[in-house]
Amino acid sequence: MTTHILICDDSVVARKQMARALPPDWDTELHFAEHGKAALAMLRQRAFDLLLLDLNMPELDGFGVLEAIRAEGLEVLTLVVSADIQPRARERVQTLGAMAFIAKPIDTTELTTLLRRYGLYHPGEQQAAIVAASPDASLELCDYLQEVANIAMGRASDLLARLLDVFVRQPVPRVAHIARTELSMAISAADDDGGFSAVCQGFVGAGISGEALLLFSDSGMEEMARLLHHAPSDTSAPDVEVLMDMSSILFGAFLKGLGDQLDVRLGLGQPTVLGRHQPITTLLEHHSNKHEQLLCIEIPYALEQHQIHCNLLVLLTEASVSRLEQNLAYLTE
């Protein structure tokens, strides 16, 4: 009997990976949705046996989909497959009715074990293999890099959440080719009139190089200092300590996650404070005279129930592109 499966993820790369992770001898019919709203519309129109659901998506995220499924009484077994591996994210999806949670990148053995446990897949009982259909979309470097950044971001958020005992709201990473001279205009936080403080750290390894930047909104500096258990002080030194602590947590976890997926060990330079309590355009002024194309990953972090915002930027040099293309092509093979 054919099992009807809906795969919901905003990343084309992730949708392809999930389709390929299913047992090859399983009689399935696959359908795909690019975000939560599309998935809900399909679930209301017809019956599915299984929903493979991402959490971080535009339009409607996975939490919202689970809430709607419960509220509307839609009958479908839901398996969450996400890079958001924070303990509270796992707890929330279980509370909302998901049958299980699998971290990205998806482990085929873990997936098969779960499918057997819930009686969806019985190895050896299929009469003929049905080849899963793949999403009909061409992939570019930014598509691959967005999914890799999503997983690296999840690891960094998990570390931050555990250290501070908070929940980090996971955004969809923005990946784009931009001119270095236009960097400050391309950053979403540049529209904020408030002051920012910034720290940067270079990295290099196996033909890939770049710079990580942390832009921290001054409005959350005192609250972050309390979460990090810094003693109150009337000097400016705590700001630097907060910046260094935050950059150490986010840069280290993100770049290690990126390097692991690229099968590259990235060496890190010394972190440097670019400035404090200034507009973003001023903090990034040193880029304005360098004429070079960059591959920019932007991740706006926010801590739930706290007025704390920061932007992590990972700027990859133009010379890194060919190596990235070589190392990322395996993701959908």
Side-chain angles (χ1 to χ4, degrees):
M1 184 174 68
T2 301
T3 302
H4 302 275
I5 301 174
L6 175 58
I7 296 176
C8 178
D9 196 306
D10 62 306
S11 164
V12 179
V13 175
R15 295 199 296 272
K16 284 195 170 189
Q17 285 180 323
M18 280 191 247
R20 290 174 184 273
L22 296 171
D25 63 342
W26 195 16
D27 180 356
T28 59
E29 180 182 302
L30 300 186
H31 295 257
F32 301 92
E34 297 180 1
H35 49 69
K37 281 188 177 179
L40 278 177
M42 296 170 75
L43 289 167
R44 289 165 183 147
Q45 289 177 355
R46 56 160 296 174
F48 286 93
D49 302 300
L50 176 65
L51 169 63
L52 298 179
L53 179 66
D54 185 27
L55 289 180
N56 311 323
M57 295 180 289
E59 302 288 341
L60 181 66
D61 63 19
F63 298 109
V65 173
L66 288 168
E67 289 171 355
I69 287 174
R70 169 170 284 190
E72 298 178 31
L74 301 171
E75 294 186 4
V76 61
L77 286 173
T78 303
L79 174 59
V80 171
V81 183
S82 176
D84 188 349
I85 57 175
Q86 298 175 77
R88 293 186 189 180
R90 295 171 183 262
E91 293 169 5
R92 285 185 184 185
V93 300
Q94 297 279 3
T95 301
L96 290 169
M99 70 184 210
F101 179 101
I102 293 183
K104 290 182 177 179
I106 195 167
D107 182 307
T108 55
T109 301
E110 183 181 7
L111 174 62
T112 302
T113 300
L114 281 169
L115 296 174
R116 293 180 64 180
R117 182 184 303 166
Y118 283 89
L120 292 163
Y121 168 61
H122 304 282
E125 294 185 2
Q126 305 295 332
Q127 297 300 313
I130 292 181
V131 178
S134 296
D136 184 20
S138 59
L139 295 173
E140 298 181 352
L141 177 58
C142 288
D143 298 315
Y144 288 108
L145 201 54
Q146 184 184 50
E147 182 59 16
V148 170
N150 184 41
I151 293 171
M153 174 187 70
R155 296 184 185 182
S157 297
D158 179 54
L159 179 60
L160 189 65
R162 291 172 186 271
L163 287 172
L164 304 182
D165 191 24
V166 297
F167 183 75
V168 181
R169 290 201 293 270
Q170 292 272 83
V172 177
R174 296 176 56 194
V175 181
H177 291 275
I178 62 171
R180 191 184 285 272
T181 53
E182 299 173 350
L183 181 58
S184 62
M185 292 184 289
I187 299 171
S188 57
D191 295 332
D192 193 322
D193 293 331
F196 282 79
S197 299
V199 60
C200 70
Q201 187 168 23
F203 59 86
V204 63
I208 296 171
S209 61
E211 179 182 19
L213 278 166
L214 179 68
L215 299 165
F216 198 98
S217 172
D218 288 342
S219 61
M221 193 67 77
E222 288 187 12
E223 194 170 3
M224 179 54 76
R226 285 196 297 274
L227 289 175
L228 290 168
H229 304 294
H230 288 181
S233 171
D234 55 3
T235 70
S236 60
D239 290 359
V240 176
E241 293 175 5
V242 168
L243 286 173
M244 288 302 180
D245 285 351
M246 284 290 292
S247 63
S248 175
I249 296 168
L250 295 177
F251 289 173
F254 185 92
L255 292 174
K256 185 177 187 308
L258 189 67
D260 287 348
Q261 294 175 86
L262 295 170
D263 197 22
V264 169
R265 185 172 182 175
L266 296 172
L268 306 182
Q270 289 294 320
T272 302
V273 175
L274 292 177
R276 291 182 291 149
H277 319 309
Q278 298 174 20
I280 283 181
T281 50
T282 303
L283 292 168
L284 300 180
E285 196 171 14
H286 64 289
H287 288 281
S288 61
N289 297 322
K290 298 177 182 177
H291 298 282
E292 182 188 11
Q293 288 293 314
L294 295 172
L295 195 51
C296 175
I297 304 170
E298 182 187 5
I299 301 170
Y301 282 100
L303 273 56
E304 192 171 85
Q305 298 182 340
H306 297 276
Q307 297 300 315
I308 295 174
H309 305 274
C310 63
N311 283 54
L312 173 65
L313 304 178
V314 177
L315 309 175
L316 294 152
T317 62
E318 194 172 10
S320 306
V321 169
S322 62
R323 186 56 188 268
L324 287 167
E325 289 174 336
Q326 293 172 18
N327 287 36
L328 289 173
Y330 77 94
L331 288 175
T332 54
E333 291 178 349

